[in-house]
Amino acid sequence: MLTKWIFPDFWHVTVIALSCVLHQRSAWRLSVIFTAMLFAKGRKTITSWLRAAGIHRCYKAYYYFIGSLGKKTENIATELFKMTIQTIYKKANTVLMAIDDSPTPRYGPKIAGAGIHRNPTPTPDGRKFVYGHVWVTLSAIARHRNFGTIGLPLLAKLYVKTKDVKNAGLFFNSKTEQAAEMAKWAYDGCISLGKQLWIVTDGGFTRASFLKPVIKTGAVVITRLRKDAVLYAELKQPEKRKRGRPRKYGKRIKLANRVNNSDGWFKIKAILYGKQETKEVKVLKALYKPAGCLVQVLIVRESTDCFRAFMCTDLAASAVQILEAVADRYAIEQNFSDLKEIEGAGQQQVRTLGSNIGTFHLNLWLHSLVELWAWDKPAKVLCDRSDSPWDDVYRRPSHADKCAALRREVLKQTFFVNSGKNHEINKIHKQFYTLLKLVA
């Protein structure tokens, strides 16, 4: 049934490029799975995918295929990253990427890699912990000319606690070590395509196990600092060496003292969260032990008694670039929300390690494929809010709007492309368009 459906040319080319890294005996199943995921309704389990695809026989082969994808994630993500560069970053010299972690709740016994983790978004009943998987995810961040900042998730690593590693048959890697591995993968991809890599993270990744390996590769890291971060002034070696071990660090720098000092403050204008804002900032250079080098520190004054501090390893970066990169990091948080609510990440009800990794990455790649397809589409094509006068007409199309627009495009091309043109058929088309708005 799915072989007769007509997708846009961009979708065909991209899916074929992704399937080329798989074994050709089973590579054709990737396009079937993506189509099934796009049209699946209700709870996004694998059985709902198979029902949407009309697969009744040989369904076990698709379970085996999804499990095998868990070992090919980097290969497929590399091809998708190349397509992203060609579509979005063609004229840009710098690629901005974000790294963060997020849990997906699971239920039931004997789920490989699952454990009890701290829940960053406590539920209304006050539970601070969640049972499930934690995924350290890498997303490409880009600014659309009309829709603002958009994230495209590419790759993820499953974090398993030390006490759960033996049951899963894995070696323990901390979140920062997994993030450093993905940063190295992204840097190699950027270098092969002639781009420079900037990585933005939250304060949880300001550790030596992440900063030092990533800085050593040559990537630029932007992250948030604690208000009591240990910073030191740049050390100037004396002309004549004295007795004893030479000092490694200069005088201690306390951010609170720098904030209270009225010297060095200046105002900048930056695009933050889709709006132009004016911020009062101060820039200084300091030695940061976890980074092991001289970094640029940006202090942003929010009010008389409130400030935020950020760090950038590129000493030539401007305050506007650092602040806008930090603000654009929210796109990966939006990715997590869309992945769980729209793609249904964590709902696939599989137990083996390879199947869990494969299903989560399928959700990541479907999200990015839809965003890439909708990148050059106008807002009128992606959503129509004429039947919702209470809604904001200028609100950008959501990821759900883009998925619905792609479904409508596929149904329209499939059922209308070869139909004739006369009065009766036009009436049927008009009724069918009304139906499409209801079901897609």
Side-chain angles (χ1 to χ4, degrees):
M1 180 180 68
L2 295 176
T3 57
K4 298 180 181 179
W5 286 12
I6 302 175
F7 273 79
D9 294 338
F10 175 83
W11 185 276
H12 277 298
V13 172
T14 307
V15 173
I16 290 174
L18 299 183
S19 60
C20 284
V21 302
L22 302 175
H23 195 285
Q24 294 306 303
R25 183 178 296 178
S26 59
W28 60 273
R29 289 191 174 93
L30 185 63
S31 62
V32 178
I33 289 294
F34 279 141
T35 308
M37 294 171 65
L38 184 64
F39 285 93
K41 296 293 184 181
R43 187 171 175 82
K44 301 301 179 67
T45 60
I46 293 184
T47 54
S48 68
W49 295 356
L50 299 180
R51 282 195 298 267
I55 298 171
H56 306 291
R57 300 177 59 185
C58 302
Y59 60 89
K60 291 184 179 180
Y62 287 87
Y63 278 93
Y64 296 138
F65 173 74
I66 293 173
S68 67
L69 291 178
K71 300 178 181 179
K72 297 286 187 179
T73 54
E74 288 194 5
N75 296 334
I76 300 176
T78 300
E79 295 299 322
L80 182 57
F81 185 44
K82 292 179 181 178
M83 299 294 292
T84 303
I85 294 293
Q86 296 172 1
T87 305
I88 297 177
Y89 299 100
K90 186 183 298 184
K91 299 180 181 180
N93 296 324
T94 302
V95 176
L96 179 64
M97 308 193 81
I99 296 179
D100 203 355
D101 62 290
S102 181
T104 54
R106 292 301 308 273
Y107 306 94
K110 297 182 180 180
I111 299 175
I116 299 176
H117 302 275
R118 186 173 297 276
N119 189 5
T121 55
T123 55
D125 57 0
R127 288 184 298 173
K128 297 182 180 180
F129 298 92
V130 60
Y131 174 77
H133 295 119
V134 170
W135 303 93
V136 183
T137 308
L138 175 72
S139 289
I141 307 298
R143 284 195 172 188
H144 194 277
R145 60 183 182 273
N146 297 323
F147 305 150
T149 305
I150 295 175
L152 293 93
L154 301 173
L155 188 64
K157 297 283 186 181
L158 176 61
Y159 170 72
V160 183
K161 284 188 172 182
T162 309
K163 63 180 181 180
D164 301 325
V165 163
K166 293 183 179 180
N167 298 331
L170 299 172
F171 296 100
F172 175 74
N173 278 333
S174 64
K175 294 179 183 179
T176 53
E177 292 172 344
Q178 292 176 333
E181 292 176 3
M182 290 192 294
K184 178 64 167 57
W185 169 84
Y187 179 78
D188 293 339
C190 289
I191 290 299
S192 64
L193 298 171
K195 306 293 183 180
Q196 184 183 7
L197 176 63
W198 282 33
I199 296 179
V200 58
T201 68
D202 62 0
F205 291 90
T206 53
R207 297 185 180 183
S209 56
F210 170 74
L211 293 176
K212 288 184 177 179
V214 177
I215 294 172
K216 188 176 180 180
T217 60
V220 177
V221 180
I222 301 174
T223 185
R224 184 172 178 176
L225 292 175
R226 292 169 56 99
K227 293 184 178 181
D228 58 350
V230 180
L231 300 170
Y232 297 93
E234 185 178 2
L235 180 63
K236 295 181 180 180
Q237 296 292 346
E239 296 180 0
K240 186 178 179 180
R241 180 174 174 179
K242 299 181 180 180
R243 295 178 60 185
R245 190 190 69 177
R247 296 183 62 181
K248 292 184 178 179
Y249 304 98
K251 188 178 179 181
R252 171 75 184 274
I253 297 176
K254 293 186 178 181
L255 293 176
N257 294 339
R258 292 300 180 100
V259 172
N260 294 331
N261 189 353
S262 59
D263 297 334
W265 291 98
F266 60 95
K267 294 184 178 181
I268 61 171
K269 292 183 178 180
I271 305 297
L272 307 178
Y273 309 105
K275 298 180 181 179
Q276 187 179 40
E277 296 186 14
T278 302
K279 295 290 184 179
E280 189 176 9
V281 301
K282 177 185 287 190
V283 178
L284 58 101
K285 292 179 175 61
L287 290 169
Y288 188 50
K289 274 189 177 182
C293 64
L294 191 67
V295 300
Q296 186 173 190
V297 179
L298 175 67
I299 304 174
V300 182
R301 176 181 283 170
E302 299 294 344
S303 61
T304 54
D305 56 348
C306 180
F307 72 93
R308 293 190 176 96
F310 306 99
M311 180 204 78
C312 178
T313 58
D314 186 2
L315 301 180
S318 66
V320 175
Q321 289 177 317
I322 298 173
L323 201 56
E324 288 184 349
V326 170
D328 289 344
R329 196 197 68 84
Y330 86 93
I332 194 172
E333 304 289 354
Q334 185 63 46
N335 287 160
F336 291 144
S337 177
D338 292 337
L339 286 168
K340 295 173 186 178
E341 294 181 7
I342 301 172
E343 273 79 22
Q347 299 179 12
Q348 280 69 53
Q349 295 184 356
V350 289
R351 298 185 183 276
T352 63
L353 191 67
S355 297
N356 279 291
I357 296 175
T359 52
F360 187 79
H361 278 85
L362 283 171
N363 290 317
L364 297 185
W365 299 330
L366 178 64
H367 186 286
S368 297
L369 286 174
V370 173
E371 293 292 341
L372 288 175
W373 168 80
W375 183 260
D376 57 350
K377 302 292 187 299
K380 293 181 179 180
V381 175
L382 299 177
C383 64
D384 182 12
R385 298 193 177 95
S386 59
D387 56 350
S388 303
W390 53 84
D391 200 350
D392 184 7
V393 180
Y394 301 101
R395 180 169 61 88
R396 72 176 189 176
S398 64
H399 182 68
D401 293 331
K402 297 172 184 177
C403 291
L406 179 57
R407 285 192 291 266
R408 289 194 300 269
E409 180 68 19
V410 174
L411 293 175
K412 182 177 69 174
Q413 293 294 328
T414 301
F415 292 102
F416 296 161
V417 68
N418 293 323
S419 60
K421 292 185 177 180
N422 55 53
H423 179 69
E424 295 297 329
I425 291 180
N426 289 338
K427 291 176 62 177
I428 297 175
H429 286 184
K430 186 176 180 180
Q431 295 297 326
F432 196 81
Y433 277 124
T434 305
L435 181 63
L436 282 182
K437 294 182 65 176
L438 297 176
V439 301

